[in-house]
Amino acid sequence: MEAEKGWEEMDMDCLVNIFGRLGLEDLTLGVPFVCKTWCAAAVDPLCWRTLNLRDMDFMPWSNFAKSFVSLYSLPRFSFSGFLKFCVARSHGGAVDLEFPPLLSASSDDLLYIANECPRLQRVVLPNILSEDEPHLPEIFAKWKDLEWLEMATKPSSFLEMVTQISASCKNFVGLSMSGSIKKKDAMAIVELLPQLKCLCLNKSYLPKEELLIILSGCKNLERLSVKDCVGFELDDEVMKRGKGVGAFEREGSKLFDDFGYETDECDPLYVHVI
């Protein structure tokens, strides 16, 4: 009887298929150091199509950072350096990128990603510094295949950003963010993103008028999530308009906030955090 093959003797395509399901920590700290065969499979670009950084600890004193520096003989750890490492491994073929939610990435990092990974389809951005927000339209002009975007908060360049997405990203169908949604924002969503299927505005300031604009104008919406918003209540008109959406999620939303305010004009720094 022929002896069964060990893991190190498995077909390369099988190993790549398996390792492509692993997280980035395993792909960087574990698999490549088992044997030459595993190392060859782990550096295949197909293993790096999904760059999920959300749950990784990038603090210089973290176990991950210290192990990475040691294994790759680096003088110190930097997030930008690790990002470039992952992008290089992907050979520009990454289609899914997810940043840690509390990380503040620089415009240089984002522009680097935009230039080196033009095939991205799904992007979850970190906190964007106010001085970097004007660069967002330039960044989205690079991602022609972008379908889904998630942001922590609505940027100051939102209108310019949506205009660029409309011009460049013909397959765009999903947007998630929170913030103060003005009439011009609601109109931009309706007019510039006509193919939108999923819109998540949880924890936003969203007045009834703006909500009705979205409900009436986004004809292709399959899911609208406005949980824990301030600015509207579930009256008969809202419920009637919402019947046209497959999944209308509105739990926790209310007309007034806990301080009794109906609008965000009382506080120019009014910001909801996810």
Side-chain angles (χ1 to χ4, degrees):
M1 180 181 296
E2 184 179 354
E4 294 184 3
K5 290 184 178 181
W7 274 80
E8 71 281 359
E9 298 176 309
M10 287 186 65
D11 181 80
M12 185 63 67
D13 290 340
C14 291
L15 288 174
V16 170
N17 184 281
I18 293 170
F19 295 159
R21 304 167 192 267
L22 298 177
L24 295 183
E25 189 163 344
D26 288 325
L27 281 175
T28 53
L29 303 184
V31 173
F33 299 96
V34 173
C35 64
K36 291 182 179 179
T37 302
W38 282 31
C39 181
V43 299
D44 189 293
L46 291 177
C47 292
W48 299 80
R49 286 169 57 82
T50 296
L51 304 181
N52 187 350
L53 310 168
R54 177 182 283 274
D55 298 321
M56 301 180 70
D57 188 349
F58 293 110
M59 293 296 101
W61 53 82
S62 70
N63 290 333
F64 170 77
K66 290 189 290 186
S67 297
F68 187 81
V69 166
S70 175
L71 288 171
Y72 292 90
S73 302
L74 301 174
R76 62 185 179 279
F77 183 86
S78 75
F79 174 76
S80 294
F82 181 73
L83 190 63
K84 292 179 179 179
F85 173 89
C86 293
V87 169
R89 288 285 173 92
S90 77
H91 287 235
V95 296
D96 192 316
L97 172 64
E98 191 166 349
F99 283 93
L102 300 180
L103 180 76
S104 293
S106 69
S107 58
D108 288 341
D109 286 338
L110 296 178
L111 284 169
Y112 175 80
I113 285 284
N115 287 321
E116 299 297 324
C117 295
R119 303 175 192 171
L120 284 170
Q121 299 173 11
R122 177 179 177 271
V123 175
V124 178
L125 290 178
N127 292 320
I128 307 296
L129 298 177
S130 57
E131 59 265 30
D132 291 330
E133 290 181 352
H135 294 284
L136 288 175
E138 176 187 358
I139 291 167
F140 287 107
K142 309 282 187 180
W143 290 329
K144 308 295 185 183
D145 297 329
L146 187 66
E147 299 176 8
W148 171 268
L149 170 66
E150 183 177 332
M151 307 184 71
T153 57
K154 188 192 79 174
S156 58
S157 58
F158 177 72
L159 296 180
E160 294 84 357
M161 183 189 80
V162 172
T163 299
Q164 187 60 66
I165 289 175
S166 177
S168 302
C169 312
K170 301 306 181 183
N171 298 320
F172 192 81
V173 295
L175 174 65
S176 176
M177 66 178 188
S178 67
S180 180
I181 309 302
K182 310 292 188 181
K183 184 176 181 179
K184 59 185 179 182
D185 301 322
M187 293 299 298
I189 290 172
V190 168
E191 295 173 359
L192 296 175
L193 304 176
Q195 303 304 318
L196 207 62
K197 294 182 180 180
C198 180
L199 177 62
C200 179
L201 300 174
N202 293 338
K203 299 183 180 180
S204 291
Y205 169 70
L206 180 62
K208 176 181 175 181
E209 180 183 0
E210 283 69 19
L211 174 59
L212 293 178
I213 289 173
I214 292 171
L215 285 171
S216 299
C218 294
K219 304 297 185 182
N220 293 302
L221 269 187
E222 298 175 358
R223 175 176 176 253
L224 174 62
S225 186
V226 290
K227 297 178 181 179
D228 300 316
C229 287
V230 172
F232 72 91
E233 57 186 356
L234 295 174
D235 58 21
D236 291 341
E237 186 176 12
V238 170
M239 294 300 293
K240 183 178 179 180
R241 298 280 185 92
K243 287 183 179 179
V245 181
F248 181 27
E249 303 167 5
R250 65 273 183 186
E251 295 81 3
S253 291
K254 51 193 174 182
L255 182 60
F256 301 99
D257 66 14
D258 294 336
F259 300 98
Y261 294 119
E262 184 178 358
T263 74
D264 62 344
E265 294 176 358
C266 58
D267 182 3
L269 300 178
Y270 182 89
V271 175
H272 283 288
V273 179
I274 292 179

